[in-house]
Amino acid sequence: MLTYGSYIGGRETFSDEWTYTVRASAMLEDVIGSLRIKRDLDRGRIPAELAPASVVGRCSVGDHHDVEAALAAAAGAVRSWAATPLRYRLRFVTELHRLTREKHDAIVEMLVAEGHPRALARWEVSGILVNTGPETREFLATQLEQHVTAGERQFTLRRVADGVVCLNPPQNATLANAMLGAWALAAGNALVVRAPRSAPLGVLYAMHELVVPALERAGAPPEVLSVVCSDAPQTLRQWLNSPLVDDIMYFGGSEQGVAFGAECVRHGKKPVLELAGNDICVVWRDADLDLAATALAEAFYGSGQICMVPNCAVVHPDVADALLDRLRERVRRIRPGLPEEPGVLLSPVRRTDAFQEVLEEALELGAQLVTGGRRLDVDGTHNEVSGLFLEPTVIRTDGLKRSRVLRAVREETFFPLLPVVVPDRAPDAELIEQIVEFTNTNPYGLRNSLWARDPEVIRAFVGGVRGGGLLKVNDSHIGFLPVLPTHGGTGLTGGPGGEANYPALRTSHLQGVSVAAGIDPATAVFAGPDTPEVL
């Protein structure tokens, strides 16, 4: 059984309170029994040494004193770390990438133990590798610091660390999103991470086994990183009230997240928001329909409980029937199962009642059920009473304006439901304009994608779509790419300051520097060709 304490000021610290993690597959096989074991372990009724093999780890729970100590350690270390030359700070990212490659399989197994289907876990680790890979490092180095010589002056345009950055990862993807803090560290910040009490093991594993040794190899002061498993409301309030905190990276739902961002501003903190997504994938009439159908089926990774999956498809009316046939065939092969089983993509869904409400509303307002719609047990059998999984569900709805009134189309639903919107027929030039407008009026803006061959259509889409932190053409919707950011977006996805999220840039600020030798201030004060005598 893995055991982790808080990491504060370069030391692992332990408390008398623990939270235990039971393997997700054991939970699925015996929910009541597994919850009883976890409860008894958490309350100390069962000694840790008598925990069954289904218990994979335990984490020490910190309190407000630990959070305060973490903030103080970070504030004390940030000055020297921020002043460290960029090339040395980038060594940390290089070492982190190397460690992630070395421990790839172990990280996957950690995610599987927490309940991520193996395919989903491998996708998450691929995101960490791409985000820390050489192409991304080289690109961000140019964004963090540039030098120009002009006459007797040397100019530097650089990003300067904001200071102490606090990160609150989401419960659905704690490990992968906590790792986004690595680039806040590379920018010269000190980082304090809250491990959620409901899912702390992956975060503490990643910090202890990956980030800490990478920082050590890069020669960073150990105090630049702290991680504490703690209660969310108390910790977030403590961060807001602390004069030591500069930025807060927050992951969560849009309504709550936008409100929290406003509160950050009121308290003088910079919010870096990663909120909901309602991504649109457009399929044009000349698209490769087999590849497009495969990309749309990515909507069901993790049962759609991921912000960056395609949440809505818009399909040219000429190819809608053919695409739906291909999509139906692929979706029917997607099944539930234990996370360890090969080929499983679906995760248990908490909001089954909300799923039924959204689906029933869509059908009542004229949508057609293409496939799915039922609750399932882990073995794939139908169970409308207590099934923990939902059948991957596709609906068809006609008309752009008529479809936007459906909750399934206008909101992030966060379960395995993909609406396929088929616009009314119109000349192609008008239709692409309507689709671009439909995409731009989506209040969210994480990723948007297009499948098309016509260069004019591609040009109109790329040139016209303003929302979204990432646009992809003829590619996996969820796949990670070097150089481009893994997260980020506009509107309800990132709040008023939303954009493509490079954490190194969003937790730093731009500064210009000029270093000269022998410049006469009497002449330097004037920028024009004629220098008047003033002194």
Side-chain angles (χ1 to χ4, degrees), residues 223-273:
E223 296 85 0
V224 297
L225 172 72
S226 290
V227 56
V228 181
C229 172
S230 60
D231 290 318
Q234 176 180 301
T235 301
L236 292 176
R237 179 57 53 188
Q238 202 167 346
W239 288 351
L240 287 170
N241 290 330
S242 173
L244 303 177
V245 175
D246 296 283
D247 300 355
I248 301 179
M249 297 179 66
Y250 178 90
F251 298 74
S254 292
E255 183 177 356
Q256 182 180 7
V258 170
F260 180 75
E263 195 166 359
C264 286
V265 174
R266 284 195 295 272
H267 284 78
K269 319 299 182 189
K270 180 198 287 186
V272 180
L273 303 178

Side-chain angles (χ1 to χ4, degrees), residues 373-445:
R374 296 174 291 187
R375 293 177 67 175
L376 304 173
D377 280 327
V378 66
D379 60 2
T381 57
H382 299 139
N383 182 344
E384 298 300 334
V385 177
S386 59
L388 297 176
F389 295 82
L390 290 173
E391 221 173 8
T393 302
V394 179
I395 60 173
R396 171 177 176 156
T397 172
D398 291 282
L400 292 172
K401 291 183 179 179
R402 294 190 299 275
S403 298
R404 183 52 65 76
V405 302
L406 306 182
R407 285 177 59 192
V409 173
R410 73 173 187 267
E411 298 177 4
E412 182 198 48
T413 53
F414 225 60
F415 32 67
L417 172 63
L418 178 67
V420 175
V421 179
V422 182
D424 295 331
R425 292 188 179 277
D428 281 354
E430 294 179 17
L431 190 55
I432 190 61
E433 285 187 10
Q434 294 172 13
I435 292 174
V436 166
E437 179 65 15
F438 180 84
T439 305
N440 281 333
T441 53
N442 176 15
Y444 303 81

Side-chain angles (χ1 to χ4, degrees), residues 419-497:
V420 175
V421 179
V422 182
D424 295 331
R425 292 188 179 277
D428 281 354
E430 294 179 17
L431 190 55
I432 190 61
E433 285 187 10
Q434 294 172 13
I435 292 174
V436 166
E437 179 65 15
F438 180 84
T439 305
N440 281 333
T441 53
N442 176 15
Y444 303 81
L446 204 161
R447 296 182 174 204
N448 292 304
S449 62
L450 168 72
W451 285 87
R453 291 189 176 97
D454 187 338
E456 291 301 319
V457 171
I458 295 172
R459 190 176 298 113
F461 184 84
V462 173
V465 173
R466 302 184 305 278
L470 188 64
L471 301 182
K472 302 184 79 174
V473 178
N474 297 325
D475 204 342
S476 162
H477 189 92
I478 66 171
F480 298 104
L481 298 173
V483 177
L484 297 181
T486 60
H487 289 68
T490 56
L492 294 179
T493 294

Side-chain angles (χ1 to χ4, degrees), residues 233-408:
Q234 176 180 301
T235 301
L236 292 176
R237 179 57 53 188
Q238 202 167 346
W239 288 351
L240 287 170
N241 290 330
S242 173
L244 303 177
V245 175
D246 296 283
D247 300 355
I248 301 179
M249 297 179 66
Y250 178 90
F251 298 74
S254 292
E255 183 177 356
Q256 182 180 7
V258 170
F260 180 75
E263 195 166 359
C264 286
V265 174
R266 284 195 295 272
H267 284 78
K269 319 299 182 189
K270 180 198 287 186
V272 180
L273 303 178
E274 284 294 337
L275 309 177
N278 190 20
D279 293 9
I280 293 173
C281 180
V282 177
V283 181
W284 198 247
R285 61 180 175 83
D286 62 349
D288 183 317
L289 297 185
D290 290 317
L291 295 179
T294 300
L296 289 179
E298 293 173 345
F300 303 109
Y301 268 67
S303 292
Q305 298 172 113
I306 304 168
C307 61
M308 61 182 65
V309 297
N311 272 33
C312 174
V314 178
V315 182
H316 195 290
D318 287 356
V319 295
D321 291 336
L323 178 72
L324 284 169
D325 287 342
R326 288 166 170 81
L327 184 58
R328 184 187 298 108
E329 175 189 348
R330 284 161 175 77
V331 168
R332 285 177 174 171
R333 295 199 297 263
I334 299 173
R335 59 182 181 82
L338 300 179
E340 293 87 349
E341 295 177 19
V344 170
L345 284 183
L346 300 179
S347 303
V349 178
R350 299 176 183 176
R351 301 171 58 216
T352 53
D353 292 342
F355 167 81
Q356 293 295 338
E357 290 174 8
V358 172
L359 177 59
E360 289 172 8
E361 179 212 65
L363 298 179
E364 289 172 0
L365 293 176
Q368 304 168 40
L369 181 65
V370 176
T371 187
R374 296 174 291 187
R375 293 177 67 175
L376 304 173
D377 280 327
V378 66
D379 60 2
T381 57
H382 299 139
N383 182 344
E384 298 300 334
V385 177
S386 59
L388 297 176
F389 295 82
L390 290 173
E391 221 173 8
T393 302
V394 179
I395 60 173
R396 171 177 176 156
T397 172
D398 291 282
L400 292 172
K401 291 183 179 179
R402 294 190 299 275
S403 298
R404 183 52 65 76
V405 302
L406 306 182
R407 285 177 59 192

Side-chain angles (χ1 to χ4, degrees), residues 34-55:
S34 295
L35 287 174
R36 183 183 298 115
I37 289 170
K38 173 176 167 53
R39 184 185 64 244
D40 289 345
L41 284 165
D42 287 351
R43 296 177 179 178
R45 295 173 181 168
I46 300 176
E49 59 269 20
L50 297 182
S54 60
V55 179

